[in-house]
Each structure stands twice: as C-alpha cells, then as structure tokens.
C-alpha cells in the first residue's frame, strides 16, 4: 500500500470513528441519561403480567430479624404505569393486609392499603408516600413501577460494579412530594438492568442503598432480580426481599386490580 492510499484509508477510518462516537458522546449528560432510561424501559416492555411469592426479612440495628411472607401480582400498563397488588400471608397478625398501587407516568400514583383488623381501606396520600411500607426500609414510592417520565436524568460516568461494566446515572424525581432529592443508579451495560441504587433524602443526605442480585431471565428476554436488599444508613436497619416462583402470562385483567380486590384476594 503506497503512502497516498494509506493516508486516504486512515482519513476515512478517522472520519468514521468520529461520526460513530459523535452519535453516542455528542449527547449532553441529560440526553444520555434519558437514553439509558428509555432503553431500560424498552427492553422490559411487553411482559404482560407477572406473579411471584416474596419473603421479606426485616433486620434492626441490633441484628434482630423478623419475617413476613406475601404474594405479588403485576399488570403491565398500556399507555400508563403498571398496576400491582401485594397481599400478606404470614405472620398471622398481618395476614390479609393488602397494598394496591396504580403507577402514573405523570402525576402522583394512586395507592391504597387494606387493614383486615380494621376492615378498612386506607388511601395513601401523596404526602405520605415517602413513609415506610409496613415497617420496612422500603417506602411506598419505592414500590411503584419505575416509569421513565417520573424522573429527569443525568449520565455521570462508566464504572465497573462487582466486575460488571455499568452506566452510572443520576435521576431526580419529578414529584415535588417525593422523599428523595436524587437517586444514583448503576445500570448493567449489557442487559440494561439495575445493579445498585443509592437514595438521598430531602436534605440531600445519604439515606439508603438498594442492591439487586440473583437475576434470572424469563421468556428469553425479561430479567428479574430474586434478591433486593435495602440498607438504611441513617437508622442502621435493613430489609431484604427474596422473590421466588415468578410466573408470566397469568391472564390477569383490570378487574384483578380494582379496589375490591384488596379485600377479596387472600
């Protein structure tokens, strides 16, 4: 290859690389953060519905533990956020307690809690969604589906987490009544699934860290974490959710998630 041809080839390769990198890195940090969130959403779209069994373990600052068993079912929203219903099975003092959530893409979610001891359905007001879910380190708002429109985004950097390349993205809740000022999410670069999430409270102080592990893939496409651990750095408490028996394609309809289902699903 003579010098002229070599230079010409190098110029073409350089131009190609510049155009390719420009399509990715020409984005602002906000645009790239949103792009990553949209890709996460796209890859998880179309699952229809799911059901699963959960074991919740609560650990206090002294290391003492207690556990609760529950079941959860979810209906994918079409044009809106997902709907979910959680029903407690054990222990006896909370058996029959049920939580229903309608996630909104825009505006506050609708959430209700049925307390069998009082035989009363309690609506969770938007100002209380930062409160703890039945004594756990998860807030009511943590249990809503993670719709793209609920946050604005900013890409921070690439970083390995436990040997896995991740995008690190900061996101800010749109809802002014959220209990968080911001969250930082580590997103697996290969599968676009969350590996870790760090929460900052309304004073922008470090509050909690949620770690996702034991992922399994279903239907050759949908990834679900079978263990989620939320650690509260301010109280020293932690809650772990162990998921099992995931089922897809249950044939659920809107009727399975209306308010009557809070009292009839046991």
């Amino acid at each position: 290859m003579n010098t002229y041809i070599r230079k010409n080839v190098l110029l073409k390769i350089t131009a190609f690389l510049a155009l390719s990198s420009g399509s990715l890195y020409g984005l602002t940090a906000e645009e790239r953060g949103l792009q990553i969130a949209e890709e996460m959403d796209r890859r998880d779209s179309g699952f229809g519905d799911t059901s699963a069994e959960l074991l919740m373990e609560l650990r206090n600052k002294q290391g003492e533990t207690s556990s609760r068993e529950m079941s959860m079912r979810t209906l994918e929203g079409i044009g809106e956020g997902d709907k979910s219903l959680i029903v407690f099975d054990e222990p006896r003092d909370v058996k029959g307690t049920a939580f229903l959530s309608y996630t909104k893409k825009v505006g506050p979610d609708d959430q209700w809690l049925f307390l069998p001891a009082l035989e009363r359905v309690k609506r969770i007001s938007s100002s209380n969604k930062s409160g703890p879910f039945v004594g756990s380190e998860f807030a009511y708002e943590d249990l809503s589906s993670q719709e793209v429109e609920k946050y604005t985004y900013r890409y921070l950097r690439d970083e390995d987490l436990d040997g896995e390349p991740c995008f690190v993205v900061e996101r800010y809740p749109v809802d002014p009544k959220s209990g968080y000022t911001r969250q930082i999410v580590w997103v697996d670069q290969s599968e676009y699934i969350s590996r870790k999430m760090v929460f900052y409270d309304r004073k922008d102080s470090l509050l909690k860290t949620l770690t996702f592990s034991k992922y399994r893939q279903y239907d050759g496409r949908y990834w679900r974490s079978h263990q989620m651990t939320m650690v509260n750095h301010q109280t020293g408490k932690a809650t772990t959710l162990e998921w099992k028996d995931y089922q897809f394609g249950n044939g659920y309809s809107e009727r399975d998630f209306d308010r009557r289902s809070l009292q009839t699903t046991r």
Side-chain angles (χ1 to χ4, degrees):
M1 185 180 295
N2 63 37
T3 303
Y4 172 79
I5 294 175
R6 186 182 297 113
K7 284 183 177 179
N8 197 31
V9 169
L10 286 173
L11 282 171
K12 288 181 178 178
I13 292 173
T14 303
F16 172 76
L17 291 175
L19 287 171
S20 299
S21 61
S23 66
L24 179 62
Y25 298 105
L27 301 175
T28 66
E30 289 74 19
E31 290 170 337
R32 195 171 180 207
L34 175 61
Q35 184 186 60
I36 292 167
E38 289 177 335
E39 180 62 14
M40 293 176 73
D41 183 67
R42 187 190 70 78
R43 294 193 183 204
D44 198 52
S45 295
F47 67 84
D49 65 54
T50 63
S51 63
E53 302 296 318
L54 290 85
L55 174 64
M56 173 186 279
E57 184 182 83
L58 298 93
R59 189 177 72 245
N60 65 19
K61 190 175 182 179
Q62 289 71 40
E64 299 166 331
T65 62
S66 59
S67 62
R68 296 168 179 178
E69 296 179 17
M70 62 195 87
S71 58
M72 180 175 182
R73 62 192 187 197
T74 301
L75 180 68
E76 184 176 20
I78 306 299
E80 260 300 346
D82 299 345
K83 296 180 178 180
S84 60
L85 177 65
I86 298 174
V87 180
F88 284 75
D89 300 317
E90 296 287 345
R92 291 182 61 184
D93 61 339
V94 295
K95 182 178 176 62
T97 299
F99 173 69
L100 179 65
S101 179
Y102 294 179
T103 303
K104 302 284 186 63
K105 289 179 180 291
V106 178
D109 301 336
D110 292 325
Q111 296 180 326
W112 300 269
L113 187 68
F114 173 65
L115 302 169
L118 303 177
E119 295 188 351
R120 187 166 71 92
V121 174
K122 174 186 175 185
R123 185 183 181 92
I124 310 298
S125 69
S126 57
S127 58
N128 287 332
K129 290 185 175 116
S130 60
F133 174 64
V134 291
S136 75
E137 299 314 305
F138 289 84
Y140 287 101
E141 66 178 291
D142 299 337
L143 302 175
S144 299
S145 59
Q146 301 297 294
E147 305 298 329
V148 173
E149 295 84 352
K150 297 177 80 69
Y151 303 91
T152 59
Y153 302 86
R154 186 164 68 98
Y155 163 79
L156 297 180
R157 59 186 180 274
D158 289 353
E159 183 176 285
D160 283 4
L161 179 66
D162 298 329
E164 298 293 336
C166 290
F167 302 115
V168 184
V169 177
E170 194 168 50
R171 65 183 193 179
Y172 312 90
V174 173
D175 185 353
K177 293 184 178 178
S178 170
Y180 311 115
T181 54
R182 60 191 173 108
Q183 302 165 7
I184 299 178
V185 188
W186 279 254
V187 180
D188 185 291
Q189 291 187 5
S190 175
E191 303 297 343
Y192 283 78
I193 51 179
S194 299
R195 292 288 184 187
K196 187 174 80 169
M197 196 177 297
V198 177
F199 300 78
Y200 291 82
D201 66 14
R202 289 172 176 164
K203 296 180 180 178
D204 203 28
S205 297
L206 177 62
L207 177 59
K208 302 185 293 189
T209 296
L210 175 60
T211 304
F212 303 82
S213 59
K214 299 182 180 179
Y215 270 101
R216 295 181 198 166
Q217 191 179 37
Y218 293 86
D219 293 341
R221 177 176 176 182
Y222 305 111
W223 291 91
R224 293 293 181 269
S225 169
H226 283 244
Q227 185 177 76
M228 300 178 186
T229 300
M230 183 77 89
V231 176
N232 189 317
H233 302 289
Q234 297 183 3
T235 66
K237 298 179 180 178
T239 299
T240 297
L241 289 176
E242 297 275 358
W243 305 70
K244 64 178 184 179
D245 298 334
Y246 260 113
Q247 300 289 333
F248 286 69
N250 299 282
Y252 293 142
S253 69
E254 295 286 343
R255 293 182 61 183
D256 296 305
F257 296 84
D258 64 23
R259 286 184 56 183
R260 286 175 298 179
S261 62
L262 278 166
Q263 301 178 56
T264 58
T265 304
R266 303 289 178 88

